[in-house]
Amino acid sequence: MLTDLVVSQKVVKVNEFTVVGVPIRTDEPVEETGTGLIPEHWQTFYKQQLANKIANKVNGNTFALYTEFEYNQKMDFTFALGYEVLPGGELKEDMREFIIPEGEYMVFTTAVGPARQVVVEAWAYIREWAKKNHRAYKIDFELYDERCIDPEYSQVDIYVSI
């Protein structure tokens, strides 16, 4: 039974696509405390208007990526903010290209509310879900589309590789 943290979940097939984004390296325990690097990375991304420096964007949807998982005591991973792009764009500053592989993903749709809150709550739900279900730890991503125009009244889809 779903809680009010996640309003739906379903398996979808995703075709390969490319995201250009600005990465940081962090770990699961520090991010779970709410004192990690991710909130500051979001602020920097918008303050420095890094979205405007990404060439060949497909649309205005923002992606938050979780990848390059290192299976150690802390579960280190790379987090990146970016946009889906068409091939051939120039990479600026500290940007990297990430390939989202074709495959099956479990999509968790958050409740509607402040993005910073509903996403954290949904990830808590996903961590519990992953204790009983297979999670591939290839690349996971959050999709911030037109439902997220107002950050205080947002709904986000979280794609978990399975």
Side-chain angles (χ1 to χ4, degrees):
M1 182 171 138
L2 296 177
T3 68
D4 58 352
L5 304 178
V6 172
V7 296
S8 73
Q9 67 186 60
K10 63 183 175 187
V11 176
V12 299
K13 181 161 172 51
V14 171
N15 293 323
E16 181 179 287
F17 64 97
T18 303
V19 170
V20 167
V22 181
I24 60 170
R25 194 82 177 144
T26 188
D27 64 70
E28 204 166 79
V30 73
E31 296 303 333
E32 287 177 12
T33 67
T35 60
L37 303 174
I38 291 175
E40 183 180 326
H41 192 57
W42 275 100
Q43 289 177 358
T44 300
F45 188 79
Y46 285 109
K47 277 185 189 172
Q48 295 181 4
Q49 299 181 357
L50 297 175
N52 296 335
K53 298 177 182 178
I54 297 175
N56 295 339
K57 286 191 284 271
V58 171
N59 55 43
N61 295 340
T62 303
F63 287 84
L65 309 177
Y66 301 80
T67 189
E68 300 169 351
F69 297 96
E70 187 178 331
Y71 304 99
N72 55 26
Q73 291 179 334
K74 297 186 302 176
M75 181 59 91
D76 294 332
F77 62 93
T78 296
F79 175 82
L81 293 170
Y83 289 84
E84 181 180 359
V85 297
L86 298 172
E90 180 184 344
L91 296 178
K92 297 184 180 177
E93 302 193 15
D94 294 328
M95 296 186 184
R96 279 187 45 207
E97 187 175 271
F98 296 89
I99 305 299
I100 309 303
E102 178 180 310
E104 287 191 338
Y105 292 77
M106 181 64 77
V107 181
F108 298 88
T109 301
T110 70
V112 176
R116 66 189 170 281
Q117 177 184 336
V118 296
V119 170
V120 168
E121 291 172 348
W123 274 110
Y125 175 89
I126 293 166
R127 280 190 296 278
E128 287 302 311
W129 171 89
K131 291 177 181 177
K132 298 176 186 163
N133 298 278
H134 175 70
R135 183 173 167 198
Y137 289 97
K138 290 181 185 175
I139 191 163
D140 304 327
F141 59 92
E142 300 161 2
L143 171 62
Y144 294 83
D145 57 17
E146 66 278 351
R147 297 169 297 162
C148 301
I149 291 172
D150 180 348
E152 295 302 312
Y153 191 77
S154 294
Q155 187 169 46
V156 178
D157 288 331
I158 301 173
Y159 290 69
V160 175
S161 56
I162 55 174

